[in-house]
Amino acid sequence: MRESVTIPAALCASVFVVGTSEYLISGLLPQVGADLDVSVGTAGQAVTVYALGVVFGGPLVAALTARTPRKGLALGLMLLFAAGSAISAVAPSFELLLVGRLVSSLSHAAFLALAVVTATSVVPPEKTGRAISTVASGFTVATLLGVPLGALLGEGAGWRAPFAVLTALSLVAVVLLAAVLPRRPAPTARLRDEVRVVTRLPVLLAIATTAVGFSGVATVFTYIAPLLTRVSGFSSAAVSGLLLAYGAGSFLGNILAGRFADRSVSATLRGVFGGLAGVLVLIPFAALWRPSAVAAVLVLGLLGTATIAPLQALILRHAGDAPTLAAAANVGAFNLGAAAGSAIGGVIVAAGALRWTGLAGALLSLAGLALTYLVLPHTPATTRKTEDHVPATT
């Protein structure tokens, strides 16, 4: 009983540290550019390098460490993250900053996947969704508090200070994980087992569902601030408050989705994607009136991260006894979806159609909804609960 509480909590705290790093640099680009003598656009490559490291490097690290004891791997990945943060904090050149960002990113997907797999292994099967949402809440809190606080620290003490704090917090997380994670035998799954699982059609469809479905949220959210200021007429200060409310909604939505996923993964996924499609298609019209714009932002926040727990539960359902690589690939799919959604939204904004990003986002969410019917075919109500909770074999 004690392990089922302390282990997910420790992993949640560690995910908070890792999650803060991903988007922290976005709020520090002007300072980074001025200090390292590059343009803001060039400084933005630090975001791109991290994202590429997560998408491609994370699954590679997970594959190469498939048979490494889980406790040692968790500590090693956090130390790797700490090393990358330290390199970023002291980087004398932009090139070395990119190296630091890449080193940190290599641990990101592998650690999040390991955290999900470890957390679900210490709880009963009927609480898998809640365990995933507990771990993922570290990421939502990072977006809600870690990133804004890091940006605030960077403005006052220089852009290197937040990375120094992240380095220290990473080392604290190492100590915490060393204290609570039990020593267990190394997994018996071989690399070819992990590869075989991740290339199974249901797993590939689940990963595609993640990338396509989450891109719908990113298409709108990436440009939500200019939408609220230019179309809705909110001040910058009001937008900051709305984004804070969005983050709070994301935290709540993630927790609720974990509980609903324990009842039915398929119903939760379809409900979330259907709800997302509905709110996204209304955003171009809701943005014209401030009260409706506020409501749309709050609902989008509630549903935006509600995809995490059921999608990861869906991956674990199909991954059987070799879940780590598949879970890492799914983490990468979230990042790929964010990048794709941002790019699609950027094209729409560049065409002068900022108000209409929601329509593209709704289409992508509907595509994600359609994919759920391929990866989780409709089943009668009498058998749905059983099918949602019985993992497929490898």
Side-chain angles (χ1 to χ4, degrees):
M1 178 64 181
R2 179 175 174 272
E3 280 191 348
S4 66
V5 175
T6 58
I7 291 177
L11 292 168
C12 172
S14 303
V15 168
F16 167 79
V17 178
V18 175
T20 298
S21 176
E22 181 169 11
Y23 297 113
L24 173 63
I25 192 74
S26 299
L28 303 172
L29 295 182
Q31 298 97 309
V32 170
D35 185 40
L36 300 180
D37 196 25
V38 296
S39 68
V40 172
T42 300
Q45 293 178 13
V47 179
T48 305
V49 165
Y50 194 99
L52 291 175
V54 172
V55 172
F56 298 106
L60 178 62
V61 172
L64 294 176
T65 58
R67 302 193 71 179
T68 303
R70 302 293 90 175
K71 180 171 183 175
L73 179 58
L75 300 181
L77 289 173
M78 282 306 299
L79 287 171
L80 180 65
F81 179 83
S85 298
I87 293 171
S88 299
V90 301
S93 66
F94 182 66
E95 291 75 17
L96 197 57
L97 173 63
L98 294 182
V99 171
R101 294 289 290 168
L102 180 62
V103 170
S104 290
S105 72
L106 292 177
S107 69
H108 182 112
F111 183 79
L112 264 63
L114 177 61
V116 166
V117 173
T118 302
T120 55
S121 71
V122 297
V123 298
E126 66 272 13
K127 294 185 178 181
T128 294
R130 272 170 277 191
I132 295 173
S133 65
T134 297
V135 172
S137 65
F139 201 84
T140 57
V141 174
T143 305
L144 175 63
L145 294 177
V147 173
L149 290 176
L152 186 64
L153 175 62
E155 290 179 6
W159 68 268
R160 299 176 188 275
F163 287 103
V165 171
L166 280 178
T167 303
L169 290 177
S170 303
L171 297 177
V172 172
V174 170
V175 175
L176 179 62
L177 293 174
V180 303
L181 292 184
R183 290 190 178 275
R184 291 179 178 170
T188 57
R190 295 164 294 183
L191 175 57
R192 66 182 182 184
D193 297 326
E194 295 275 357
V195 173
R196 185 172 66 247
V197 164
V198 84
T199 54
R200 291 177 64 237
L201 182 59
V203 174
L204 291 175
L205 285 172
I207 292 171
T209 302
T210 297
V212 173
F214 196 69
S215 64
V217 178
T219 299
V220 173
F221 183 69
T222 304
Y223 305 96
I224 195 72
L227 177 71
L228 292 174
T229 54
R230 299 178 194 175
V231 178
S232 304
F234 287 102
S235 66
S236 297
V239 170
S240 297
L242 283 174
L243 292 179
L244 188 64
Y246 175 95
S250 296
F251 177 81
L252 178 61
N254 171 62
I255 296 297
L256 290 176
R259 293 183 176 274
F260 285 124
D262 284 334
R263 299 180 181 180
S264 173
V265 171
S266 58
T268 303
L269 267 181
R270 288 164 189 162
V272 170
F273 278 133
L276 276 174
V279 70
L280 288 171
V281 80
L282 290 175
I283 278 180
F285 310 99
L288 297 175
W289 189 44
R290 290 186 185 181
S292 59
V294 171
V297 169
L298 294 178
V299 176
L300 183 61
L302 193 66
L303 295 175
T305 58
T307 56
I308 296 176
L311 284 169
Q312 284 288 28
L314 183 59
I315 286 290
L316 295 181
R317 177 181 183 272
H318 288 292
D321 295 327
T324 307
L325 178 57
N330 201 45
V331 172
F334 275 106
N335 284 267
L336 184 60
S342 298
I344 293 169
V347 171
I348 296 172
V349 171
L354 171 64
R355 178 185 163 196
W356 302 101
T357 54
L359 296 186
L363 289 175
L364 290 166
S365 292
L366 287 174
L369 176 61
L371 283 170
T372 67
Y373 285 93
L374 295 178
V375 71
L376 278 170
H378 182 73
T379 55
T382 55
T383 61
R384 186 177 301 136
K385 181 176 178 62
T386 300
E387 291 193 357
D388 276 339
H389 289 300
V390 177
T393 61
T394 57

